[in-house]
Amino acid sequence: MAPTPTESPPALATTKRKFHKLLDNITASTSQTSLTSTLYESSNNASTGSLPQPGVPEPEPTAKRPRSSNSSLERQRQVSAGQARIQALKDQLLTGKPQRAGTMRVVGTQAQQTASTPRKPPNFQPYSQDMFLERLKTFADVKKWTTKPDAISEVEWAKRGWSCDAWNTVACKGGCEKHIAVKLRPKRKDNDGRDIEMSEDITEDVQPSLVERYAKLIIDGHSEDCLWRKAGCQDNIYHIPIANRAKSSADLISRYNFLLAISHDMPLLENITHPKPHVDQILATIPATFFSTTTTGTPPSTPAQRVAFAFALFGWTGVSESRISLAVCNHCFQRLGLWLSTDERLHEMSKKLGLPIAALRLNLLEAHREYCPWKNAVVQANAPDSWIAGLAAWETLEFMLLGKKWNKELPKLPDEHVGSHSFERANNNSVDLGTPSEATFPRESEDSGLTRHITAGYNDEGDEESLTNKWKKFKAKLKRSTSKRSLKSVKSAKGSVKSGKSGRSGKENEN
């Protein structure tokens, strides 16, 4: 009797399919599909697609459990939702940039990016000129800050992190938050003898001891742990990097373009004044390609365009606020109303004040604040061992534009410019310095150009002084001698004294 064959155990693939089908039937009735079930679904598809083992008979298909159409649609939605979450996780992992907390908000299967709050820059940045200028700009409003002595001027406060917060009050904003009220003079009185708020009696003298006290508070006014108490900005923080030819040229063109936008409100050419050389002499030496990036694309030709270029040469830019055209300096934040220099306005003020129009013309250099680097060579702080040592910003810019021609005679102007006083320095202070220890006043025409040599100076005592001290001393002498005739009389008087002394000494020797 032949032995009956033993029943073969079910194949492993068959058992696996049955297990997953049973798991699918359980999860089909649930309302949530987890990430684990989705992963099992992926593995189920992979297992069912495998080939049967050889020699093993294929099992008979089992009867499928009937399912409703609603449950099938629900399961498809849940699977797609799980796959969407898996894909979102993959995208986040593959980018390698984890999202910050609070910047990503997940709603359902959609990720909505929310705007993150920008971080404020640190308060203590003594090397940043932009932040220094931002603090200095808070002092520009005359309704909040009045003129102070140089030792406690707005520049000194801004170098130590202070900003103007209220009427003559400074604050360390973003730092220790300390406040200091700078009171140098008493308040003005009204007709009834009561104090006028936000005012000071400028007729009262400032006590030197009070100035010294506030000078110490510039540093000691900060809290003990404030970084501004330990260090401040460097002395050359106000320096304008004009020596960079590309940057200075781009800034000049930018200022000129802004001024062209308000050229219709520019004053007449004869109603402005500035140190020599004449703007036409400078334009004659600049190549036409220099103005290729301007709004016109051509060199200044009309009187209004030449005036706009003269403004730009001396650091001014143009703005329009409430249909009012202004010339603004972005370093000392001085603002000039161009309507004050119109021809009608100047004639009106000349009649009211009884002054010549020449005394009321707008001086493009003197209109800057005293501490502005465009005007002040010490504040500009050019490198002491360079060709531009001891020059203010306007002189440095003209040196960069003219190059080697800066020390030579510029092109001669047409005859209509000869004898014109519109571009002479106030009080006839424009001078031609030839050799050291020698000073001569300019000729009647303006063809002499910018002939002040960099190495020239006026040395009254014969000792070796810096160029800055020489220039200061020479300007002081010019204020005392304001005409060529007075200088000649002084020289002739000295010559007569010397000749008298020599004559007397000769007679004494003969005796």
Side-chain angles (χ1 to χ4, degrees), residues 152-170:
I152 55 174
S153 66
E154 50 265 43
V155 177
E156 300 302 325
W157 290 101
K159 284 183 178 180
R160 278 287 176 170
W162 298 98
S163 302
C164 186
D165 184 56
W167 167 255
N168 283 340
T169 302
V170 297

Side-chain angles (χ1 to χ4, degrees), residues 303-323:
Q305 292 176 355
R306 285 149 58 197
V307 171
F309 186 73
F311 270 83
L313 274 175
F314 286 86
W316 299 99
T317 187
V319 297
S320 181
E321 297 180 359
S322 302
R323 298 181 181 180

Side-chain angles (χ1 to χ4, degrees), residues 32 107 193 211 229 249 270 323 335 423 438 460 465 501:
Q32 297 291 335
V107 180
V211 175
R229 187 186 181 100
S249 301
E270 59 268 16
R323 298 181 181 180
R335 296 158 64 90
F423 283 85
E438 181 182 354
D460 183 58
E465 298 176 332
K501 288 183 179 179

Side-chain angles (χ1 to χ4, degrees), residues 52-67:
Q53 297 180 1
V56 179
E58 293 186 5
E60 296 180 358
T62 58
K64 294 184 179 180
R65 183 177 179 181
R67 302 177 184 176

